Amino acid sequence: DLAHALQSEKNAGNRIPADRARRIIIDILSAVQHLQAHRVAHCDLKPDNVMLQNVKTDHEVAVVTDFGCSKDFTGYDGHMAMPHPPGFGKGGSVMAWAPEVHHAVPGPGQIIDYSANDQFAAALIGHEIMAGQADHPFPGAVDPVDFRDEVYTDVEPELYDEALRRTVRELLRCDPAQRMTAAVALEELRRP
């Protein structure tokens, strides 16, 4: 899985090269875009749930796995949102939740919107790939309420190009209305 690949690179004193990082992030975002097109939220995107095939070859592919926490929004009107009654499980691990999912409060008439959650989680993975370790893009934030765009910490620019770093940063926008979509991110990352 991607978590083990990251650890192997770290143990060897290396980082995943930019072209490989870009391909992995593109594969993850392609999966997110496909799921969203079918009105499904994964809800548990993290390095442990990304498998790599043909590792370190030109044919390497990242595959998203473990759909045990996913949510199907077929039959729900509008966005990928559903009622959020008391006792409702949000699904997945806390580290795979965007701020709006983390802070959704259960109660009568409340909804929880997952429409921009998975691209946020994909960007957390992208940031971790570029940082070379489990690194938080919002340092000092002990809770997603502390996530603020202005405290985002970028990775070393000498290792990763501006387009890749900017795309990850835009996917990590705290306000889901300002967050880049998976489709736009893929368009940005596929440019030569």
Side-chain angles (χ1 to χ4, degrees):
D1 63 33
L2 180 57
H4 285 94
L6 288 169
Q7 188 61 50
S8 293
E9 293 289 344
K10 183 179 177 184
N11 291 346
N14 298 325
R15 297 269 186 92
I16 289 180
D19 59 336
R20 183 178 179 208
R22 182 182 296 271
R23 283 194 317 263
I24 291 169
I25 294 167
I26 285 172
D27 288 347
I28 295 168
L29 286 169
S30 294
V32 167
Q33 183 183 35
H34 180 79
L35 289 169
Q36 289 175 342
H38 292 279
R39 300 182 50 80
V40 173
H42 188 281
C43 301
D44 200 23
L45 277 177
K46 55 189 178 184
D48 307 47
N49 290 339
V50 176
M51 299 295 142
L52 298 175
Q53 297 175 337
N54 304 315
V55 177
K56 292 187 177 182
T57 71
D58 289 340
H59 304 289
E60 182 176 57
V61 177
V63 179
V64 172
T65 63
D66 190 358
F67 293 87
C69 296
S70 63
K71 300 197 180 299
D72 184 352
F73 292 89
T74 305
Y76 287 93
D77 292 336
H79 295 288
M80 292 171 50
M82 60 178 46
H84 188 35
F88 175 79
K90 293 178 183 178
S93 66
V94 174
M95 65 190 226
W97 295 343
E100 67 275 10
V101 172
H102 184 82
H103 293 296
V105 178
Q110 298 296 314
I111 63 161
I112 187 166
D113 190 344
Y114 289 92
S115 58
N117 182 72
D118 286 346
Q119 61 258 39
F120 186 91
L124 286 173
I125 294 170
H127 184 86
E128 187 171 333
I129 290 169
M130 293 187 297
Q133 61 185 353
D135 179 52
H136 207 285
F138 304 100
V142 294
D143 185 286
V145 74
D146 299 323
F147 292 2
R148 291 187 320 279
D149 293 336
E150 61 271 10
V151 298
Y152 174 81
T153 301
D154 203 353
V155 295
E156 295 89 345
E158 65 274 6
L159 298 177
Y160 299 98
D161 62 86
E162 172 62 25
L164 180 58
R165 293 183 356 266
R166 182 184 61 247
T167 301
V168 168
R169 183 173 55 244
E170 292 300 313
L171 286 164
L172 285 169
R173 295 289 229 145
C174 295
D175 180 352
Q178 294 180 355
R179 192 171 302 144
M180 186 180 276
T181 65
V184 171
L186 285 167
E187 186 178 308
E188 289 291 319
L189 293 175
R190 287 178 174 147
R191 285 187 182 151

